[in-house]
């Protein structure tokens, strides 16, 4: 197994962030042999798991919810496993959307 230590600043600015621990724990709990089985259980494409492991893709809110559904672990526990120390989990599509009342006046 290869371990990549380069930092992707997009995500790994958090020293504690460790998606592998989260994915490995899920596999253990669900008795899955490999990441391919994990991707099927979570209903995501296999490259998604690989990208998360290489820290090129963050674990999104919808994926966290799916992990919660299949393992019955709390979202808090899942986030603790991957070392996500942010207090609030922002949904990405909530960012940068103008508020409805801020329509430009023609």
């Amino acid at each position: 197994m290869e371990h990549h230590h380069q930092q992707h600043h997009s995500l790994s600015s958090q020293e504690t962030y460790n998606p592998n621990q989260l994915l490995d724990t899920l596999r253990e709990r669900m008795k899955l042999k490999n990441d391919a089985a994990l991707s099927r259980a979570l209903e995501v494409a296999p490259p998604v798991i690989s990208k998360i492991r290489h820290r090129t893709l963050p674990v999104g809110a919808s994926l966290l919810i799916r992990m919660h559904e299949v393992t019955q672990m709390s979202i808090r526990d899942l986030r603790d496993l991957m070392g996500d120390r942010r207090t609030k989990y922002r949904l990405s599509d909530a960012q940068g959307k103008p508020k409805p009342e801020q329509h430009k006046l023609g």
Side-chain angles (χ1 to χ4, degrees):
M1 286 174 79
E2 39 178 345
H3 288 285
H4 294 285
H5 286 296
Q6 77 252 33
Q7 294 290 306
H8 292 281
H9 9 261
S10 56
L11 204 61
S12 309
S13 50
Q14 296 189 69
E15 292 292 302
T16 55
Y17 182 73
N18 180 7
N20 292 325
Q21 188 184 336
L22 172 64
L23 296 173
D24 293 343
T25 302
L26 292 181
R27 273 176 43 180
E28 247 166 63
R29 286 187 72 121
M30 294 192 274
K31 314 250 188 299
L32 302 170
K33 285 192 196 72
N34 51 36
D35 284 353
L38 180 60
S39 70
R40 281 196 296 276
L42 296 175
E43 294 176 11
V44 297
V48 170
I49 303 295
S50 156
K51 284 178 179 160
I52 289 171
R53 282 200 185 276
H54 293 109
R55 303 181 185 209
T56 53
L57 190 73
V59 177
S62 54
L63 186 55
L64 265 180
I65 289 165
R66 182 79 192 120
M67 290 170 170
H68 156 71
E69 285 169 352
V70 297
T71 62
Q72 298 304 305
M73 293 170 69
S74 72
I75 301 283
R76 161 105 278 159
D77 286 350
L78 292 168
R79 285 178 50 200
D80 283 350
L81 275 174
M82 69 173 159
D84 186 348
R85 298 285 178 255
R86 290 174 293 184
T87 47
K88 287 251 170 49
Y89 214 105
R90 282 208 196 85
L91 294 173
S92 52
D93 58 0
Q95 292 169 337
K97 269 195 185 162
K99 295 197 177 70
E101 64 270 11
Q102 290 178 336
H103 289 303
K104 287 199 181 99
L105 298 171

